[in-house]
Amino acid sequence: MKNILILISSFLLISCSYFKTGVDVEIINTTEKSIKNIKLYTSENKEVLTFEELKSGGEISDFLKMNENKTEGHYILEFTNEKGEIKKTTAGYYSNGKSLDQKIIFEIEKDTIKLNKA
């Protein structure tokens, strides 16, 4: 009986750390110029990923925590282009503070930003 209790407790501890609340993020810059001051966050604006610069042809990956998110919303990507203009786009969807996807991929092109899901 004691062994079963230890086994169940261990399983619960492991499973809680396995099911992380958030989403893996990748940002790809396919433009010919660097972008700067990159921010990625949810519409609830609880956690913010920030990156100083992403060079032309480069990509960055990270994990956007969503522990504090409680409602439905979308993702917001914001950056400054080579002309000093702040570009902001909203994309994707999450429900009840949880991502519906394991990974979201933002692909920044010259005139558009694509969102792919994995």
Side-chain angles (χ1 to χ4, degrees), residues 1-8:
M1 182 67 178
K2 186 177 179 182
N3 289 339
I4 292 174
L5 187 58
I6 291 172
L7 181 64
I8 291 172

Side-chain angles (χ1 to χ4, degrees), residues 1 5-6 39 47 50 60-61 67 79 81 92 104-105 112:
M1 182 67 178
L5 187 58
I6 291 172
K39 296 178 187 174
E47 298 277 345
T50 57
I60 48 179
S61 299
N67 297 334
F79 61 90
N81 67 12
I104 54 175
I105 304 165
T112 190

Side-chain angles (χ1 to χ4, degrees), residues 9 12 20 25 37 65 69 75 78 109 111 113 115 118:
S9 298
L12 288 174
K20 51 190 177 179
V25 176
N37 304 320
K65 294 179 188 175
N69 291 29
Y75 306 103
E78 184 179 322
E109 297 180 346
D111 296 329
I113 299 171
L115 175 69

Side-chain angles (χ1 to χ4, degrees), residues 12-38:
L12 288 174
L13 287 173
I14 292 170
S15 66
C16 288
S17 63
Y18 179 75
F19 296 110
K20 51 190 177 179
T21 303
V23 63
D24 287 313
V25 176
E26 185 174 346
I27 303 171
I28 304 169
N29 181 7
T30 63
T31 68
E32 295 178 1
K33 305 283 183 176
S34 293
I35 59 174
K36 298 181 184 213
N37 304 320
I38 305 152

